[in-house]
Amino acid sequence: MENKNQTGEVIDLRVLFRHVMARKWRIMGIVLATGIIASILIVLVPRSFSTKVMLAPESESFSSGGMLSSIGASFGLDLSSMQSSDAIYPLLYPDLIESNDFIVNLFSVQVETIDGSLKTNYYDYLSSHQKHAPWDPVIKGIKKVLKFRPKKTVRPVVAGPDAGPNPFMLTEREYSIAKLVKDYVTCTVDRKTDVITISVRDQDPMICANLADSIRIMLQDFITTYRTGKSRADMEYYGRLAEEAGQEYNEAMTAYSDFCDRHQNITMQSFISERDRLENEMQIKYNTYSAMNTQYQAARAKVQERTPVFTILQNTSVPVKPDKPKRMIFVLGMMFLACAASVLYYIKDDIFVNSSNTTSETLA
């Protein structure tokens, strides 16, 4: 059996096959040694678990969308977000979670390992209790040597016993931890259905599940606070006005009652006029208090109306099996590469010698 390469030389595949079979034990030894080394190396790499939680946020309905919204959804366009008055809509949630303000809030989340041997905050866990491969410090040291290192910035002193991380100016250590969190936490949004998927990866399954649930709660609280901010401000404002109007009404009612008690059975016109004035003033105060209380109750209802609803499609759970690294796939892949490299190494002489001989004959 013969085959021709791109330059027209004839290559006998049967000869190549015989040469490979003649060295099959060497190739098998190389593949076996590669498999053993790859198995040892991959065992030293810490395994990680992953979990996810899926949310379906409340979406405002627009009667003007109709068929156009359905067609836009089929092409991945969210026309409802264009008509929404909210500045933060579901497609921006991934950017929100990756922001430093959101990531820094995760530093204080209390975590606990599945065996209960460690209870600390998430920042301390990532900073001091992560497992690393033996060669990670070497690679890190090489990167530090090769990387240009600018002058370190010092965070300004902030008043208070425990100021905490400043998202505006993170230290070098805090920045590296925040970057690690961004690698561990991902958020995706389906453009057609607006389904939010929050995925978390970690070396401990319990911490992985707890962090995913904490991110879900923090995201819901942030969106709820944003959506109800204006309504809550109105509710507090009308609440203060209703309280002040209520106090003024009570004072006017007390003044009217005291005047009537002190001037019973008196028919003088001056006393009757004063009584009517106090009664009218009390009625005005009552009308003001009633109006402010109505506005306050309407503002409370508006807060409830603006509060978004998140339906949990898939709740987080503690993963049972690790998903990374794929040990079997890694070992088989390395063995395949070793086999292919060995075969190419042993047949390269046949290919290149045949090519050079053909070229010499052509020149002669």
Side-chain angles (χ1 to χ4, degrees):
M1 184 177 182
E2 296 180 349
N3 189 17
K4 291 186 177 181
N5 58 15
Q6 296 179 352
T7 58
E9 294 86 0
V10 178
I11 300 176
D12 192 343
L13 297 181
R14 291 174 296 183
V15 174
L16 298 181
F17 180 76
R18 287 196 299 268
H19 288 178
V20 170
M21 293 304 296
R23 300 176 176 86
K24 61 180 179 180
W25 297 112
R26 294 183 183 180
I27 296 175
M28 291 178 61
I30 294 173
V31 172
L32 181 60
T34 302
I36 295 174
I37 296 174
S39 301
I40 296 174
L41 294 178
I42 199 63
V43 167
L44 297 178
V45 176
R47 308 201 75 177
S48 61
F49 301 80
S50 64
T51 186
K52 65 180 180 180
V53 56
M54 300 178 65
L55 303 174
E58 177 188 29
S59 59
E60 300 179 5
S61 59
F62 298 93
S63 58
S64 61
M67 185 62 67
L68 184 59
S69 298
S70 301
I71 297 175
S74 63
F75 289 97
L77 299 177
D78 188 7
L79 298 182
S80 62
S81 64
M82 301 178 184
Q83 302 176 3
S84 175
S85 59
D86 291 335
I88 302 179
Y89 48 91
L91 291 181
L92 296 181
Y93 291 173
D95 297 328
L96 170 64
I97 291 181
E98 291 183 358
S99 64
N100 285 342
D101 297 273
F102 194 93
I103 295 297
V104 167
N105 289 331
L106 295 178
F107 288 172
S108 59
V109 174
Q110 296 298 312
V111 296
E112 180 181 359
T113 56
I114 193 170
D115 56 2
S117 60
L118 176 64
K119 295 181 180 180
T120 182
N121 58 60
Y122 192 53
Y123 177 85
D124 180 68
Y125 168 73
L126 293 180
S127 178
S128 306
H129 302 282
Q130 286 284 283
K131 299 177 182 178
H132 301 281
W135 52 85
D136 284 347
V138 178
I139 298 177
K140 187 176 181 180
I142 295 175
K143 289 182 178 180
K144 285 184 177 181
V145 173
L146 299 178
K147 183 179 178 182
F148 172 73
R149 305 189 63 79
K151 184 178 179 181
K152 294 183 179 180
T153 57
V154 180
R155 180 192 300 162
V157 178
V158 182
D162 187 13
N166 182 8
F168 180 73
M169 183 178 292
L170 297 174
T171 62
E172 185 178 0
R173 184 60 177 169
E174 292 168 351
Y175 176 79
S176 62
I177 297 299
K179 187 177 180 181
L180 183 61
V181 174
K182 293 178 182 180
D183 293 336
Y184 282 178
V185 177
T186 58
C187 177
T188 58
V189 178
D190 192 324
R191 291 179 175 269
K192 296 182 180 180
T193 61
D194 282 346
V195 174
I196 306 167
T197 302
I198 301 174
S199 302
V200 178
R201 179 167 54 90
D202 199 89
Q203 295 180 1
D204 187 87
M206 182 63 69
I207 293 178
C208 181
N210 289 339
L211 187 63
D213 194 58
S214 299
I215 295 175
R216 175 187 63 82
I217 295 174
M218 290 176 60
L219 179 62
Q220 291 179 346
D221 291 344
F222 180 89
I223 299 302
T224 300
T225 302
Y226 165 74
R227 289 279 300 273
T228 61
K230 176 64 167 58
S231 301
R232 283 186 294 104
D234 292 342
M235 182 185 69
E236 294 174 0
Y237 172 72
Y238 287 117
R240 289 194 301 268
L241 292 181
E243 184 178 358
E244 295 174 359
Q247 294 177 356
E248 293 178 357
Y249 167 70
N250 291 331
E251 293 174 359
M253 183 175 59
T254 301
Y256 172 76
S257 300
D258 292 343
F259 182 84
C260 292
D261 291 340
R262 286 186 284 106
H263 300 85
Q264 295 182 2
N265 301 323
I266 297 179
T267 59
M268 295 178 62
Q269 187 61 38
S270 60
F271 293 106
I272 295 176
S273 299
E274 182 64 18
R275 184 194 62 185
D276 292 342
R277 186 188 69 81
L278 292 175
E279 183 178 3
N280 292 334
E281 184 178 354
M282 180 185 66
Q283 186 64 36
I284 293 174
K285 299 295 184 182
Y286 173 77
N287 292 337
T288 303
Y289 168 70
S290 179
M292 292 300 100
N293 189 58
T294 301
Q295 293 287 346
Y296 173 68
Q297 296 299 331
R300 289 185 59 184
K302 190 66 174 179
V303 171
Q304 181 63 31
E305 178 185 350
R306 292 289 297 170
T307 300
V309 177
F310 291 86
T311 303
I312 301 178
L313 301 180
Q314 178 178 334
N315 207 345
T316 182
S317 61
V318 179
V320 178
K321 296 181 180 180
D323 63 337
K324 288 185 178 181
K326 303 292 185 181
R327 293 180 174 178
M328 185 61 66
I329 296 177
F330 176 78
V331 173
L332 293 178
M334 294 301 295
M335 293 177 67
F336 174 78
L337 291 177
C339 180
S342 301
V343 171
L344 290 177
Y345 176 78
Y346 285 121
I347 66 175
K348 65 179 179 62
D349 293 337
D350 298 324
I351 297 176
F352 288 109
V353 168
N354 187 21
S355 176
S356 59
N357 291 338
T358 305
T359 302
S360 300
E361 293 175 359
T362 302
L363 294 176

